[in-house]
Amino acid sequence: MDIIFYHSSFHPQKWVEGLQALLPDARVRQWTPGDKQHADYALVRQPPEEMLKGRRDLKAVFALGAGVDDILSQLRQHPDLLAPNVPLFRLEDTGMALQMQEYALYHVLGWFRRFTDYQQQKQQACWQHLPAYPRESFTIGILGAGVLGRSVAECMKAWGFPVRCWSRTPKAMSGVTSFYGNDQLPDFLSGTQVLINLLPNTPQTVGIINRELMSQLKSQAFILNLARGAHLVEEDLLAALDAGEVKAAALDVFVTEPLDQQHPFWQHPDIAITPHNAAVTLPEEAMRYIAAGIAQCEKGETPAGRVDLSRGY
């Protein structure tokens, strides 16, 4: 079989050689412009239109990340980019779940134990004990209950926090209160102290974290955006912070990346920023996952992580 690989920033030789070792009977190559040769599988991240257009021999496309909004955006513009029978798969975990747990836990514990407040006091040489948050009411609300959302929920639950999740459809997780659908969103927001966003990026979720949503959270709430910058209305967050509705935020993703050096987020004392690295694709884990998925496809089986194109995830 023939496999083509493209990623705008990953080192192609490492991936080509790694996949070749895992799939010794395959021919793996880096895709370059002008390459129209046969391919059974395409491994992609932000692929040029030319890479996929016109290929009617593909058996499947594997996205090199948990999100597939880059490919879906192209499909909305060019509906014939993929043949209707070509399945699209995304990475469901491959080490990203643990990274998300680490990132979320760092910020949640920092806010819960008021370490960020003490750090600000340190800037003023202020020695003052602050009242502790009651653990039983420090409710963690997670937008999104996919593989990553469920993983973060389990992590937070282990630390004794009340945990709830919100998703498109009902989810059953032991010890986690599930809300679903637009009708239950207000109940999910009410009483949520920390809002963690792990939603997929779809037309329905763009701008979901807006001023109206933030006003329904518990007073002085915290916001942690780990999904996509498009979910957050940035000017609404600034307004909510200035109004005291939101106490602090930690942001890993932004509408425009890299974040412009003049963006007001950089100077805001209550916003923590990281450069979209809360969870990165780990090559070895991802290659093993994809190789196993291709092997399943060759047997006529369906690997985990198939994207429902109508839903966008």
Side-chain angles (χ1 to χ4, degrees):
M1 79 186 98
D2 294 295
I3 302 170
I4 51 177
F5 170 91
Y6 177 86
H7 193 292
S8 59
S9 60
F10 284 175
H11 194 288
Q13 184 177 357
K14 179 176 183 177
W15 281 79
V16 170
E17 292 177 354
L19 288 162
Q20 190 70 70
L22 291 166
L23 297 166
D25 295 331
R27 292 175 295 274
V28 187
R29 70 182 187 272
Q30 176 190 4
W31 180 87
T32 55
D35 180 350
K36 297 294 184 182
Q37 297 179 56
H38 173 79
D40 296 289
Y41 298 95
L43 282 49
V44 302
R45 185 67 169 177
Q46 298 179 337
E49 179 187 349
E50 177 194 355
M51 180 182 183
L52 299 177
K53 189 172 184 179
R55 290 190 179 276
R56 294 296 177 261
D57 47 5
L58 286 176
K59 297 179 182 179
V61 174
F62 286 82
L64 296 170
V68 292
D69 40 303
D70 57 326
I71 301 174
L72 296 180
S73 176
Q74 287 188 323
L75 283 173
R76 286 192 287 271
Q77 298 177 44
H78 309 284
D80 61 343
L81 190 64
L82 289 179
N85 63 327
V86 177
L88 172 63
F89 298 95
R90 63 186 179 88
L91 301 182
E92 284 199 325
D93 185 352
T94 63
M96 286 183 280
L98 179 59
Q99 294 176 74
M100 285 295 188
Q101 288 182 11
E102 294 166 346
Y103 193 101
L105 186 61
Y106 170 84
H107 286 287
V108 169
L109 291 181
W111 290 328
F112 175 65
R113 290 294 308 274
R114 308 202 65 169
F115 295 144
T116 51
D117 291 324
Y118 286 121
Q119 182 63 22
Q120 289 187 1
Q121 286 189 177
K122 183 248 184 183
Q123 308 295 332
Q124 305 162 16
C126 175
W127 180 283
Q128 178 184 352
H129 288 278
L130 298 172
Y133 288 108
R135 188 183 300 267
E136 62 274 10
S137 61
F138 201 80
T139 300
I140 313 296
I142 301 171
L143 289 170
V147 171
L148 298 181
R150 294 170 74 96
S151 173
V152 171
E154 290 296 328
C155 174
M156 295 299 150
K157 188 178 70 173
W159 283 83
F161 296 114
V163 181
R164 57 180 60 171
C165 69
W166 179 83
S167 53
R168 187 181 64 89
T169 56
K171 298 293 189 297
M173 285 184 277
S174 176
V176 177
T177 305
S178 174
F179 298 83
Y180 65 96
N182 292 334
D183 291 344
Q184 294 188 12
L185 182 56
D187 290 337
F188 163 81
L189 297 170
S190 178
T192 290
Q193 183 79 65
V194 179
L195 183 72
I196 301 176
N197 178 38
L198 283 163
L199 285 170
N201 184 17
T202 69
Q204 292 73 35
T205 61
V206 169
I208 189 171
I209 307 176
N210 52 35
R211 188 71 184 275
E212 180 184 358
L213 179 144
M214 288 183 267
S215 69
Q216 298 176 67
L217 297 168
K218 193 171 182 178
S219 178
Q220 294 278 283
F222 302 92
I223 292 177
L224 180 54
N225 191 11
L226 299 174
R228 285 292 185 268
H231 291 132
L232 173 68
V233 181
E234 295 181 343
E235 57 268 27
D236 284 6
L237 173 60
L238 290 168
L241 285 164
D242 292 343
E245 296 170 5
V246 170
K247 181 170 174 57
L251 309 176
D252 184 57
V253 289
F254 306 89
V255 173
T256 301
E257 297 179 0
L259 188 64
D260 188 273
Q261 290 185 345
Q262 305 306 313
H263 199 290
F265 281 172
W266 287 114
Q267 304 303 322
H268 203 292
D270 298 318
I271 296 178
I273 290 174
T274 49
H276 201 148
N277 65 348
V280 298
T281 301
L282 302 178
E284 286 74 18
E285 287 85 343
M287 283 189 271
R288 286 195 293 269
Y289 185 92
I290 292 169
I294 290 175
Q296 285 184 278
C297 288
E298 288 294 292
K299 295 176 184 177
E301 302 170 356
T302 301
R306 182 167 185 173
V307 175
D308 183 333
L309 298 182
S310 65
R311 293 189 308 179
Y313 58 93

